[in-house]
Structures are given as C-alpha cells and as structure tokens.
C-alpha cells in the first residue's frame, strides 16, 4: 500500500472530537504534525479509565512509537509547552525525544496574553470570548514581522534585544491605551532563559523530516485545531480564531506541498456546539448557572459534557447545521467525515436538522460572509424521529438503530460527503470505522 498523508480538521466551531480520532488513527502513522493554533486547543483522549487533555502537543503522543511535530503554523507558548511536557513525562511517557518543533513557530509571550485579556475587557459586550491565551496578538506579531520565533532561542544575546524591543512596543499599548499594568521585562527574560534549555534540543527542520518520512513510504497525520467556522478567513468573522483552521493550513503550517495531502477527514459532531461569542443560528440556548433555557440544549450539554477542555467554559449547544457543513465540505475538500457524539442524542424522541437559512426572505444554502448578516439568518429545519435507544460503543453499521442510520444517511446527503468513521463514546475503543481513510 502506498503512503498516505491524512489531514484531520474540525468542520464546525471546534471541540468536535478531533483529538480522540487523531489518537485512534495514529496506530498507522510515523508522525503527527500540528499545523496551526496554539494552546487555545483542548483535545481530549480517553483510553480505558485514563483521560489526557492535550493543548499544544500533537494527539499522537500517547503512542510511544509515533513522533510528534509542531509545525511553523503553530503559535508556541513556551510556558504552556513546558507545563504539558512535564505533566506527560510525570505519567511515565517519553516526550522530549519524540517531540520536534519548527524554528519558525512564533512565540507567545506574557505581553501577548496581557494584550489579549485587555482587549477582551475593552470590547465589553462585543467580546470575542477568546481563550485569553495570547493567540491573536502572537499571530499579529508574526504578520507584522516583529515577533520572536522558536529559532531565536539559538542566539540568546539577540533574543534579549528583540525581546526588549517587542516588549517596549506592547507595553506602550498595554499601559497607555488599555490602562493596564505593564509586563516586567526582567521576569520575562528570566523565564525565557529557562525555556531555551527545554526547547533548543527539540528544534528541527520539520519540512525536511516530513519529506524524509514520506520518501521512506511512511504515513503521516496532520492535526488541525479549532474548527472551520473559526477560520480567520472563512469563519464567522470577527468571532473567529487568528489562524487558518481549514485543510489548506496544513500545507503552509507544516511545510508540505498541497498535492502531497491525500485525504481530508472532517471531524463533525452529530449536533453543534460553540464556545465563546459569535453567531450560532441553531443554538438551543441554556444557562447552566441559572438553570434556565432550552431543555434540549440542557440535555445535549449535560450528556455531552459540553464544557471547554481549555477554559472550562460552558459550550453553547444546538442542532446540526447543514449550511455550515456544506461550506466546510467545500473549503476543506472533505474526503470523508467522522461523525462523533451520536450517543449523546440517544434519548431524543425527535431531532431537528437545519437544512438552510432564510436571509431577508430568501432561501440560502451556504453561510453568509459576515457576522452582521449571520445575525439576520433564520434557520429552517426538518424533523426526524429519534432512536431512543443506546448506541454507545456500537460495533457495526447493522447493529445501529434504523432511525440512527436514517439520521446519518440524511446528514451525508446534506453534506455531500460520506461518513467514514462513527464515534459513539469518548473512549478510543468506542469507534466504528466504516471506510478506513488509509485504505480508501
Ligand atoms: P477536540 O478539541 O476536537 O479534540 O474535542 P474536545 O476533546 O475538546 O471535546 C470533545 C469531547 O467529547 C471530549 O470530552 C471527548 O472525550 C468527548 N467525545 C469524543 N467523541 C465522543 C463520542 O463519540 N461520544 C461522547 N459521548 N463523547 C465523545
Ligand atoms: P479545539 O482545538 C473551541 C474559540 C474561542 C473564541 C475564539 C477565539 O479544542 O477545538 P482564541 O483564543 O483562539 O483567540 O479565541 O475561538 N476557540 C475554540 N473553541 N475549540 C477550540 O479548540 C478553540 N480554540 C479557540 O472560544 O470563541
Ligand atoms: Mg477541544
């Protein structure tokens, strides 16, 4: 069999279950490559009674024979990296010898975190609802060509003067514009001297490593974070993250030619969730704190444990939105879909699916470009019968209840993409591979 390079992306607003599926499929790959985002991601892996939440380190790390690469498209918080490496190594896992980091990764520093948080505060009701991890400001520095990169740790003298310049620039904004406290240079510098010791041995030429593996006929997996509707260009702007979360980002964010990518697997929740602000037409609004709102929204959130793996925030829940998925299939060029969390819907007697929107009285089948227009759309639904029986750990297509089969078939028709993997529980084992991406 020829080698395969598989890209895994989220097709909705993140938290679709990407980490679980990347971990599952990595038994067939030599390395997993993260290509965008940063420690705003929270990818949950469950194996037996052991749960691991990863933020920055690729979801291949639990398999000792697999290498993990952090590509140039990832914004790297040395602080978050240090914490995650130490936490994983404390469980007895070998991490440092298998983790390789691109020298071109922009660094997230304390001033980026301070700016992210100050801006959110200033936006008040219009806050994006960021994870407050400094993601946006770090990407801005990259594009503005003033940022520090992982490779800068190779020359600490130069690092120090670049750090001073970038901090002076940001501290001016933090203190004068946002009226917040400045970030202390000496504290940041002392931390960076420590980070250098951890990071330097892990720096590597990621495009060259990818090429070497491919030349040797080895499979690779490219792990996306967040989801398509959070893409900086294609998402519900400005309520998005600051990177390209879509499949094209794998090429630029890892350093591999687009023609080398063989299969795009879109991870898709059987319903929809979103955390943070921004449009969400199919939302079934429910407030956990006040215990008020939509009861189906409450059920999805409770059964699906819909709380952020990074910030612990309540995720907003809603019905499946085929309009969003049509856009996702289009811009990612999805080869197949992995449908997750079907089991969360087991109790429902009726299920709604949003097939299109009305915008100013006109039917639309693809999402509008702006958040302002998004606010005006009216979701249109069809209703299907629920299956009202457990699908947890379902091990064959034939053993799925007929109503669940009908639901999946309907979604396939709406998305224009086949469901190749079905996930019916958080555990690695609770997965049904219908059509293996490595064999198709
Ligand atoms: P990611 O960011 O896309 O990797 O997803 P998260 O890990 O943030 O969120 C997905 C959550 O759903 C995690 O708690 C997973 O353990 C859990 N999960 C994944 N697949 C399934 C599934 O098929 N059924 C259920 N019940 N939970 C799942
Ligand atoms: P994973 O990889 C869900 C959301 C934030 C906010 C917006 C911008 O676990 O699916 P940022 O901190 O990136 O500037 O925040 O994006 N967001 C996510 N939502 N899952 C994620 O990652 C997310 N990463 C960022 O809530 O609305
Ligand atoms: Mg997540």
């Amino acid at each position: 069999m020829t080698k395969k390079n598989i890209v895994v992306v989220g097709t909705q607003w993140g938290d679709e279950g990407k980490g679980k599926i990347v971990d599952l499929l990595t038994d067939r790959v030599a390395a997993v490559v993260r290509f965008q985002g940063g420690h705003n991601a929270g990818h949950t892996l469950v194996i037996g009674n052991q749960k691991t939440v990863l933020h920055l380190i690729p979801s291949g790390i639990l398999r000792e024979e697999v290498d993990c690469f952090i590509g140039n498209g990832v914004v790297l918080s040395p602080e978050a990296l240090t914490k995650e490496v130490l936490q994983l190594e404390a469980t007895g896992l070998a991490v440092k010898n298998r983790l390789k980091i691109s020298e071109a990764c922009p660094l997230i520093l304390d001033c980026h975190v301070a700016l992210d948080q100050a801006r959110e505060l200033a936006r008040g009701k219009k806050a994006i609802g960021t994870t407050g991890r400094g993601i946006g400001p770090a990407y801005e520095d990259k594009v503005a060509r003033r940022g520090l990169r992982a490779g800068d740790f190779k020359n600490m003298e130069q690092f120090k003067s670049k750090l001073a310049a970038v901090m002076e620039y940001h501290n001016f904004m933090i203190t004068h514009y946002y009226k917040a406290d400045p970030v202390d240079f000496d504290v940041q510098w002392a931390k960076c001297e420590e980070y250098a010791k951890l990071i330097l041995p892990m720096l590597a030429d990621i495009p060259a490593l990818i090429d070497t593996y491919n030349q040797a006929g080895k499979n690779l997996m490219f792990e996306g974070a967040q989801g398509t509707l959070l893409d900086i260009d294609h998402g519900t702007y400005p309520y998005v993250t600051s990177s390209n979360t879509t499949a094209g980002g794998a090429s630029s964010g890892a350093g591999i030619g687009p023609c080398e990518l063989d299969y795009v697997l879109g991870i898709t929740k059987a319903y929809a969730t979103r955390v943070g602000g921004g449009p969400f037409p199919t939302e079934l609004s429910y407030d956990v704190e006040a215990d008020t709102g939509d009861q189906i929204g409450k059920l999805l959130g409770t059964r699906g444990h819909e709380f952020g793996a990074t910030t612990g925030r309540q995720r907003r829940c809603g019905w499946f939105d085929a309009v969003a998925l049509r856009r996702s299939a289009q811009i990612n060029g999805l080869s197949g879909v992995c449908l997750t969390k079907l089991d969360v819907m087991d109790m429902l007697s009726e299920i709604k699916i949003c097939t299109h929107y009305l915008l100013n009285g006109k039917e639309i089948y693809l999402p509008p470009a702006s958040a302002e227009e998004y606010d005006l759309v009216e979701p249109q639904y069809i209703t299907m019968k629920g299956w009202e029986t457990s699908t947890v750990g379902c091990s064959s297509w034939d053993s799925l209840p007929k109503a669940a089969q009908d639901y999946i078939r309907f979604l396939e028709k709406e998305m224009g993409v086949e469901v190749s993997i079905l996930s019916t529980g958080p555990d690695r084992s609770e997965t049904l591979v219908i059509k293996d991406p490595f064999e198709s």
Side-chain angles (χ1 to χ4, degrees):
M1 212 189 309
T2 51
K3 64 101 179 117
K4 277 255 163 76
N5 287 322
I6 296 191
V7 184
V8 172
V9 290
T11 61
Q12 294 151 314
W13 287 272
D15 303 324
E16 298 89 350
K18 297 174 292 292
K20 169 187 164 166
I21 300 304
V22 170
D23 166 70
L24 173 86
L25 294 177
T26 40
D27 62 345
R28 254 80 56 77
V29 308
V32 179
V33 193
R34 266 286 299 269
F35 59 85
Q36 49 70 229
H39 65 307
N40 48 350
H43 298 171
T44 315
L45 283 46
V46 181
I47 296 132
N49 53 15
Q50 199 189 333
K51 176 170 146 179
T52 309
V53 181
L54 300 168
H55 300 286
L56 204 43
I57 294 181
S59 300
I61 201 71
L62 297 189
R63 303 204 187 247
E64 301 257 6
E65 65 288 358
V66 173
D67 285 339
C68 288
F69 301 157
I70 298 183
N72 56 279
V74 173
V75 278
L76 185 86
S77 157
E79 187 169 344
L81 182 81
T82 307
K83 203 168 139 202
E84 205 164 317
V85 168
L86 294 180
Q87 265 174 6
L88 287 170
E89 293 211 322
T91 68
L93 207 63
V95 177
K96 283 193 245 133
N97 59 329
R98 293 191 290 132
L99 185 62
K100 305 280 173 239
I101 299 169
S102 165
E103 288 189 25
C105 286
L107 297 183
I108 301 183
L109 302 165
D110 293 347
C111 54
H112 298 124
V113 178
L115 266 177
D116 191 358
Q117 295 175 357
R119 278 191 200 152
E120 283 287 274
L121 210 61
R123 282 179 76 101
K125 280 203 171 111
K126 289 194 169 154
I128 310 271
T130 71
T131 57
R133 301 291 192 264
I135 305 293
Y139 275 118
E140 286 167 35
D141 269 5
K142 162 183 168 165
V143 178
R145 295 166 288 190
R146 68 173 157 251
L148 281 137
R149 311 204 297 179
D152 285 316
F153 282 122
K154 292 200 302 193
N155 182 337
M156 288 308 276
E157 213 171 296
Q158 260 182 44
F159 190 106
K160 196 171 185 178
S161 60
K162 285 188 190 178
L163 181 68
V166 91
M167 285 189 64
E168 189 187 347
Y169 180 84
H170 287 314
N171 271 336
F172 183 84
M173 189 64 120
I174 290 169
T175 53
H176 290 276
Y177 187 81
Y178 292 109
K179 313 284 182 223
D181 292 335
V183 177
D184 187 274
F185 176 80
D186 292 331
V187 173
Q188 179 72 87
W189 169 244
K191 288 202 237 175
C192 287
E193 284 188 299
E194 287 306 307
Y195 299 148
K197 291 179 203 155
L198 175 87
I199 290 176
L200 272 174
M202 292 193 268
L203 294 179
D205 184 336
I206 302 298
L209 284 175
I210 290 173
D211 191 40
T212 306
Y213 276 155
N214 272 179
Q215 297 284 348
K218 294 185 174 167
N219 296 327
L220 296 175
M221 178 98 66
F222 295 81
E223 178 182 14
Q226 291 84 51
T228 299
L229 278 299
L230 290 173
D231 184 283
I232 183 72
D233 294 304
H234 300 287
T236 51
Y237 190 90
Y239 296 93
V240 291
T241 191
S242 299
S243 62
N244 284 115
T245 58
T246 38
S251 174
S252 55
I256 178 169
C259 295
E260 298 300 318
L261 303 171
D262 303 293
Y263 188 105
V264 181
L265 181 64
I267 314 298
T268 308
K269 220 175 257 193
Y271 47 100
T273 61
R274 165 162 212 166
V275 59
F280 187 13
T282 63
E283 182 170 10
L284 300 164
S285 203
Y286 168 74
D287 182 340
V288 169
E289 305 256 296
D291 192 17
T292 52
D294 190 282
Q295 290 307 298
I296 294 174
K298 175 180 180 176
L299 181 134
L300 293 174
T302 310
R303 284 183 54 87
H305 303 289
E306 297 296 358
F307 293 89
T310 295
T311 57
R313 290 177 294 173
Q314 180 194 352
R315 294 176 185 150
R316 301 151 70 190
C317 298
W319 295 119
F320 188 91
D321 185 342
V323 181
L325 255 296
R326 242 172 252 130
R327 178 68 87 203
S328 239
Q330 184 182 65
I331 56 186
N332 288 303
L334 297 181
S335 319
V337 154
C338 167
L339 195 69
T340 62
K341 304 192 88 160
L342 188 78
D343 55 295
V344 173
M345 306 181 88
D346 284 351
M347 313 272 283
L348 298 173
S349 55
E350 279 190 340
I351 295 175
K352 287 189 180 182
I353 302 150
C354 167
T355 53
H356 58 286
Y357 304 151
L358 285 184
L359 177 61
N360 300 323
K362 211 171 136 227
E363 288 184 357
I364 58 167
Y365 288 82
L366 285 168
S370 74
E372 289 79 12
E373 277 183 305
Y374 240 115
D375 279 341
L376 302 176
V377 304
E378 300 164 50
Q380 305 298 303
Y381 296 99
I382 69 123
T383 303
M384 293 184 81
K385 253 174 69 69
W387 42 95
E388 297 182 87
T389 170
S390 173
T391 60
V392 176
C394 194
S395 59
S396 71
W397 176 261
D398 291 339
S399 60
L400 277 172
K402 169 80 170 55
Q405 291 180 349
D406 290 346
Y407 181 63
I408 297 167
R409 290 293 178 235
F410 187 79
L411 299 191
E412 286 180 326
K413 195 162 66 64
E414 290 293 310
M415 298 185 285
V417 188
E418 276 181 355
V419 170
S420 44
I421 301 178
L422 184 65
S423 172
T424 54
D427 197 279
R428 192 193 259 174
S429 64
E430 290 165 323
T431 323
L432 171 62
V433 179
I434 299 165
K435 201 181 243 183
D436 191 331
F438 287 100
E439 282 159 24
S440 60

